[in-house]
Amino acid sequence: QVQLVESGGGSVQAGGSLRLSCTGSGYTISRYCMGWFRQAPGEEREKVATIYTDALSTTYADSVKGRFAISQDNAKNTLVLQMNSLKPEDTAMYYCAATARPYGCHSASPYEYDYWGQGTQVTVSS
C-alpha cells in the first residue's frame, strides 16, 4: 500500500546539478521521518540527508554539506534532494526512505527506515 518512487537521476559532468524527487502514495510524507540514502557498487548504503516530519530540521552527511539540500513539497507529497557542485564520488544509486513512525528522526542507519523507493541512478563524470 505504501509506495515511494524516485525520479530525477541521470548523468552529469562534475560541477553540475541534479534535482531528485521522491513521491509517496499511501503515505503522507510530512507526517513521518524521511531521508535520502545512496549506495555505490561494493559499498554500504549511507545516509545523504534527512528531514523532520514537518521540515523543522534537517541533517546532512559531511561529504555533501553545503552542496545538497533536502526539502519537502507537501502539496505534491514529494521529497526533494537538490544536488549542486556534484563530484565523481557522488556517483551512486540514490534511494528515498521513510519511517513508519512520526518520531526519532534523523537516523543515519538504513535499518531504522521502513519504506524504500526503487532507487534512481546518479552518475557524475570528471
mmCIF file of all heavy atoms in Angstrom, residues 48-65:
data_model
loop_
_atom_site.group_PDB
_atom_site.id
_atom_site.type_symbol
_atom_site.label_atom_id
_atom_site.label_comp_id
_atom_site.label_asym_id
_atom_site.label_seq_id
_atom_site.Cartn_x
_atom_site.Cartn_y
_atom_site.Cartn_z
ATOM 1 N N VAL A 48 22.586 10.325 3.132
ATOM 2 C CA VAL A 48 22.934 11.558 2.448
ATOM 3 C C VAL A 48 22.351 12.746 3.199
ATOM 4 O O VAL A 48 23.046 13.705 3.522
ATOM 5 C CB VAL A 48 22.435 11.559 0.995
ATOM 6 C CG1 VAL A 48 22.739 12.895 0.322
ATOM 7 C CG2 VAL A 48 23.060 10.403 0.216
ATOM 8 N N ALA A 49 21.052 12.682 3.486
ATOM 9 C CA ALA A 49 20.365 13.769 4.172
ATOM 10 C C ALA A 49 19.076 13.252 4.782
ATOM 11 O O ALA A 49 18.491 12.286 4.294
ATOM 12 C CB ALA A 49 20.069 14.920 3.213
ATOM 13 N N THR A 50 18.628 13.888 5.862
ATOM 14 C CA THR A 50 17.358 13.537 6.494
ATOM 15 C C THR A 50 16.567 14.803 6.778
ATOM 16 O O THR A 50 17.128 15.901 6.838
ATOM 17 C CB THR A 50 17.553 12.764 7.806
ATOM 18 O OG1 THR A 50 18.263 13.583 8.743
ATOM 19 C CG2 THR A 50 18.320 11.470 7.574
ATOM 20 N N ILE A 51 15.264 14.633 6.965
ATOM 21 C CA ILE A 51 14.400 15.763 7.244
ATOM 22 C C ILE A 51 13.338 15.346 8.254
ATOM 23 O O ILE A 51 12.842 14.221 8.223
ATOM 24 C CB ILE A 51 13.768 16.311 5.940
ATOM 25 C CG1 ILE A 51 13.055 17.641 6.188
ATOM 26 C CG2 ILE A 51 12.827 15.279 5.318
ATOM 27 C CD1 ILE A 51 12.712 18.380 4.896
ATOM 28 N N TYR A 52 13.008 16.251 9.161
ATOM 29 C CA TYR A 52 11.986 16.002 10.164
ATOM 30 C C TYR A 52 10.609 16.002 9.523
ATOM 31 O O TYR A 52 10.421 16.564 8.434
ATOM 32 C CB TYR A 52 12.081 17.067 11.259
ATOM 33 C CG TYR A 52 11.281 16.790 12.505
ATOM 34 C CD1 TYR A 52 11.414 15.593 13.184
ATOM 35 C CD2 TYR A 52 10.405 17.746 13.014
ATOM 36 C CE1 TYR A 52 10.687 15.336 14.335
ATOM 37 C CE2 TYR A 52 9.679 17.513 14.162
ATOM 38 C CZ TYR A 52 9.819 16.299 14.824
ATOM 39 O OH TYR A 52 9.096 16.063 15.968
ATOM 40 N N THR A 53 9.652 15.409 10.206
ATOM 41 C CA THR A 53 8.319 15.219 9.638
ATOM 42 C C THR A 53 7.687 16.489 9.075
ATOM 43 O O THR A 53 7.053 16.447 8.012
ATOM 44 C CB THR A 53 7.367 14.627 10.682
ATOM 45 O OG1 THR A 53 7.363 15.454 11.857
ATOM 46 C CG2 THR A 53 7.792 13.216 11.056
ATOM 47 N N ASP A 54 7.853 17.603 9.782
ATOM 48 C CA ASP A 54 7.279 18.867 9.340
ATOM 49 C C ASP A 54 8.345 19.846 8.861
ATOM 50 O O ASP A 54 8.122 21.046 8.836
ATOM 51 C CB ASP A 54 6.438 19.505 10.431
ATOM 52 C CG ASP A 54 7.210 19.733 11.721
ATOM 53 O OD1 ASP A 54 8.390 19.352 11.787
ATOM 54 O OD2 ASP A 54 6.633 20.294 12.660
ATOM 55 N N ALA A 55 9.514 19.330 8.503
ATOM 56 C CA ALA A 55 10.637 20.109 7.984
ATOM 57 C C ALA A 55 11.203 21.098 8.998
ATOM 58 O O ALA A 55 11.783 22.114 8.609
ATOM 59 C CB ALA A 55 10.248 20.836 6.703
ATOM 60 N N LEU A 56 11.053 20.803 10.287
ATOM 61 C CA LEU A 56 11.617 21.670 11.316
ATOM 62 C C LEU A 56 13.136 21.615 11.343
ATOM 63 O O LEU A 56 13.789 22.581 11.732
ATOM 64 C CB LEU A 56 11.067 21.296 12.691
ATOM 65 C CG LEU A 56 9.628 21.700 12.999
ATOM 66 C CD1 LEU A 56 9.236 21.193 14.372
ATOM 67 C CD2 LEU A 56 9.458 23.201 12.929
ATOM 68 N N SER A 57 13.711 20.485 10.947
ATOM 69 C CA SER A 57 15.156 20.336 10.975
ATOM 70 C C SER A 57 15.620 19.376 9.889
ATOM 71 O O SER A 57 14.859 18.530 9.425
ATOM 72 C CB SER A 57 15.623 19.849 12.344
ATOM 73 O OG SER A 57 15.092 18.570 12.640
ATOM 74 N N THR A 58 16.876 19.527 9.515
ATOM 75 C CA THR A 58 17.495 18.658 8.516
ATOM 76 C C THR A 58 18.900 18.286 8.961
ATOM 77 O O THR A 58 19.511 18.990 9.765
ATOM 78 C CB THR A 58 17.578 19.340 7.144
ATOM 79 O OG1 THR A 58 18.337 20.557 7.265
ATOM 80 C CG2 THR A 58 16.192 19.684 6.617
ATOM 81 N N THR A 59 19.419 17.176 8.446
ATOM 82 C CA THR A 59 20.796 16.786 8.685
ATOM 83 C C THR A 59 21.413 16.355 7.363
ATOM 84 O O THR A 59 20.711 15.938 6.445
ATOM 85 C CB THR A 59 20.936 15.630 9.694
ATOM 86 O OG1 THR A 59 20.476 14.402 9.115
ATOM 87 C CG2 THR A 59 20.141 15.916 10.961
ATOM 88 N N TYR A 60 22.755 16.445 7.289
ATOM 89 C CA TYR A 60 23.467 16.086 6.079
ATOM 90 C C TYR A 60 24.734 15.329 6.418
ATOM 91 O O TYR A 60 25.372 15.575 7.443
ATOM 92 C CB TYR A 60 23.852 17.334 5.282
ATOM 93 C CG TYR A 60 22.673 18.116 4.776
ATOM 94 C CD1 TYR A 60 22.131 19.156 5.530
ATOM 95 C CD2 TYR A 60 22.102 17.820 3.546
ATOM 96 C CE1 TYR A 60 21.032 19.872 5.070
ATOM 97 C CE2 TYR A 60 21.006 18.534 3.079
ATOM 98 C CZ TYR A 60 20.478 19.561 3.847
ATOM 99 O OH TYR A 60 19.400 20.267 3.383
ATOM 100 N N ALA A 61 25.102 14.412 5.542
ATOM 101 C CA ALA A 61 26.406 13.791 5.651
ATOM 102 C C ALA A 61 27.466 14.858 5.427
ATOM 103 O O ALA A 61 27.266 15.791 4.643
ATOM 104 C CB ALA A 61 26.548 12.679 4.616
ATOM 105 N N ASP A 62 28.602 14.728 6.111
ATOM 106 C CA ASP A 62 29.659 15.729 5.976
ATOM 107 C C ASP A 62 30.105 15.901 4.528
ATOM 108 O O ASP A 62 30.458 17.003 4.103
ATOM 109 C CB ASP A 62 30.863 15.340 6.839
ATOM 110 C CG ASP A 62 30.598 15.501 8.320
ATOM 111 O OD1 ASP A 62 29.649 16.214 8.693
ATOM 112 O OD2 ASP A 62 31.356 14.912 9.118
ATOM 113 N N SER A 63 30.064 14.835 3.771
ATOM 114 C CA SER A 63 30.546 14.868 2.404
ATOM 115 C C SER A 63 29.679 15.694 1.460
ATOM 116 O O SER A 63 30.128 16.060 0.371
ATOM 117 C CB SER A 63 30.668 13.442 1.852
ATOM 118 O OG SER A 63 29.417 12.785 1.870
ATOM 119 N N VAL A 64 28.439 16.007 1.867
ATOM 120 C CA VAL A 64 27.542 16.751 0.986
ATOM 121 C C VAL A 64 27.117 18.096 1.552
ATOM 122 O O VAL A 64 26.395 18.846 0.882
ATOM 123 C CB VAL A 64 26.290 15.929 0.623
ATOM 124 C CG1 VAL A 64 26.679 14.573 0.059
ATOM 125 C CG2 VAL A 64 25.369 15.769 1.833
ATOM 126 N N LYS A 65 27.550 18.425 2.757
ATOM 127 C CA LYS A 65 27.166 19.697 3.372
ATOM 128 C C LYS A 65 27.600 20.873 2.499
ATOM 129 O O LYS A 65 28.721 20.919 2.004
ATOM 130 C CB LYS A 65 27.788 19.829 4.764
ATOM 131 C CG LYS A 65 27.134 18.964 5.816
ATOM 132 C CD LYS A 65 27.774 19.169 7.182
ATOM 133 C CE LYS A 65 27.092 18.327 8.238
ATOM 134 N NZ LYS A 65 27.744 18.471 9.565
#
